[in-house]
Amino acid sequence: MAIISSCTASTLKDAATSLRSGNLVAFPTETVYGLGVDATNKDAVAHLYQVKGRPSDHPLIVHISSMANLDKWAREIPEYAIKLARAFWPGPMTLILPRTNQAMDFITGNQDSVGIRVPSHPLADVLLKDFEELGGLGVAAPSANRFGQVSPTSAQDVEDELSKFLGTKDLILDGGICQVGLESTIIDCTLQMPIILRPGAISKDMVQEATGLEFKSDQTDSQVKASGLLKSHYSPIAKVFLTGNPGIGDGFIALSDIETPEGVIRLAAPKDVTQYAQVLYRALRLADQKRIKKVFVVTPNEGGMSVAINDRLAKAASK
Ligand code: TXA
Ligand code: MG
C-alpha cells in the first residue's frame, strides 16, 4: 500500500489505471474518505469486502463523475430524482434507484436497487473522470473504515484503520480533511415519494424545496435495506453517552460555548453545527487513541447539520 500525499494530474491518472486493474484506491470525498474499487470487477469487490470486514449482502454506493452516466446504472428514474440530481450533484447526496443489469448482485447486495452518488471533492472528480476515460463505468466505494466503525475524515485515519488489511498495490490518496465530515444523505427514490434513509448535509427541507414535494414518509416505509441504518454503527471503542455527567478522565464533546467540566478531557469544541459535523469523527477517534473509556457528548440542536449529527451519535451510543 502506498500513500500519495500530493496528488497531481499524473498521480491521479495512475490511480485511475490502478483501479481499472482491480486494485483498491482510498480517496477523499467532501463527506468522508471512500475505499474505491471498479464497480464492474467482481474479484476486486470481493477483496474490498474482505478489507472492510463487511458482510457481503450489504450494498455499495457507485460513484460516477456526472449525471450523464446515471442511466448506465439506474432505470425508471422518477422526475423528483432528476430534480434532486440537478439540484445537489455533485455533492453529498446518494440516490437509491431501480438498478440496470450493470449493477450486479455483488454491488447491490442482491437488491433490485442501486445507490449512486456524484461527489464534489476535486480529487474525486478528476479520479472518476480519468477512470471513465479508461472505459470504467463507476467506482463502488464504502466509507474507508472497518465495518461498524467510525468513518475516516483524513488520509491518516484511513491509514490507521486499514493499512494492515490493504494489499501492496492498493493506494491511499491524501486530499486533506473532509469538508462535511459526515456521510452523504441517502434518499430512497424507488417509490412515489422520496424517503430519507440516512440524514446528511442535504436536509429534508432542501429535498422538499428542490422536488416541490411535501412528504411525511420515513425510513420505516422504505423497502430497501441499508447497513448504515443498523441501530448500532459508526461506533468508536469508547462508550458514548448522550446524557449524564462526565467524571475525571472521561472525554467530552460539545459546542465551544459550553465549558469543560473539571478534570475532563475536551475532545472537541466546535464553534457551530457545521464545524461540529466536521470534527465529530476525529474527536471520537481521538478518544480511542487516548484510550479514553467513556465519552460524554452534548448533542447540538441548532438546525443545519444537527439532525445528521444526532443520528450518528445515537448510533454511536447504542453499542
Ligand atoms: O458519503 C458517503 O456516502 C460515503 C462516501 C465514500 O461516498 N460512502 C458511504 O458508503 O458512506 P457506506 O458503504 O459506508 O454507506 C453506504 C450506505 C450503507 O448503509 C448501504 O447499506 C447503503 O448506503 N446503500 C448502498 N446501496 C444501497 C441500496 N441499493 N439500497 C439500500 N441501501 C444502500
Ligand atoms: Mg460506512
Side-chain angles (χ1 to χ4, degrees), residues 27 29-35 52 54 57-63 92-97 107-109 111-117 119 141-145 151 182-186 197-198 224-230 233-234:
F27 62 98
T29 82
E30 68 280 18
T31 57
V32 298
Y33 274 70
L35 184 58
K52 199 160 151 83
R54 185 179 201 171
D57 63 343
H58 287 272
L60 296 171
I61 297 172
V62 178
H63 297 68
M93 176 185 76
T94 298
L95 300 182
I96 308 292
L97 292 156
I107 290 296
T108 70
Q111 302 194 67
D112 283 330
S113 58
V114 62
I116 305 286
R117 177 158 112 82
S143 50
N145 52 281
S151 295
L182 295 180
E183 306 80 356
S184 61
T185 303
I186 301 183
L197 295 179
R198 180 174 71 182
V224 304
K225 200 181 86 196
S227 68
L229 309 180
L230 294 175
H233 210 75
Y234 311 109

Side-chain angles (χ1 to χ4, degrees), residues 33-44:
Y33 274 70
L35 184 58
V37 69
D38 184 338
T40 62
N41 184 330
K42 190 175 181 181
D43 293 340

Side-chain angles (χ1 to χ4, degrees), residues 114-313:
V114 62
I116 305 286
R117 177 158 112 82
V118 180
S120 67
H121 192 292
L123 288 193
D125 178 51
V126 174
L127 180 69
L128 291 171
K129 285 193 173 116
D130 287 346
F131 178 79
E132 288 164 7
E133 253 171 45
L134 294 168
L137 293 179
V139 173
S143 50
N145 52 281
R146 297 277 289 167
F147 183 65
Q149 308 288 310
V150 177
S151 295
T153 52
S154 72
Q156 184 64 53
D157 292 346
V158 180
E159 187 189 0
D160 291 348
E161 182 119 354
L162 295 181
S163 59
K164 57 177 184 288
F165 302 99
L166 289 169
T168 50
K169 292 184 177 160
D170 300 331
L171 295 174
I172 300 175
L173 305 182
D174 189 346
I177 305 281
C178 299
Q179 213 191 332
V180 177
L182 295 180
E183 306 80 356
S184 61
T185 303
I186 301 183
I187 307 171
D188 176 356
C189 300
T190 62
L191 300 174
Q192 258 179 339
M193 288 285 192
I195 302 174
I196 296 183
L197 295 179
R198 180 174 71 182
I202 306 300
S203 66
K204 185 171 179 181
D205 285 350
M206 290 161 82
V207 172
Q208 294 201 337
E209 195 179 315
T211 57
L213 298 171
E214 282 273 324
F215 59 91
K216 294 207 174 54
S217 42
D218 65 23
Q219 283 178 21
T220 51
D221 298 317
S222 175
Q223 325 265 308
V224 304
K225 200 181 86 196
S227 68
L229 309 180
L230 294 175
K231 201 161 154 260
S232 163
H233 210 75
Y234 311 109
S235 305
I237 297 163
K239 195 152 173 41
V240 176
F241 297 87
L242 307 184
T243 54
N245 296 317
I248 290 174
D250 290 341
F252 186 62
I253 300 172
L255 283 164
S256 57
D257 55 3
I258 300 172
E259 271 179 41
T260 314
E262 226 173 63
V264 163
I265 303 163
R266 187 72 178 240
L267 296 166
K271 66 178 190 316
D272 56 30
V273 282
T274 304
Q275 201 180 72
Y276 201 130
Q278 256 168 17
V279 302
L280 177 61
Y281 286 160
R282 173 98 291 277
L284 293 175
R285 278 177 188 276
L286 191 60
D288 287 346
Q289 281 159 12
K290 291 179 177 290
R291 301 189 196 287
I292 292 171
K293 297 273 181 313
K294 296 182 191 169
V295 177
F296 287 78
V297 183
V298 181
T299 56
N301 56 9
E302 292 174 19
M305 291 298 283
S306 295
V307 177
I309 293 168
N310 291 332
D311 168 77
R312 304 310 191 276
L313 282 172

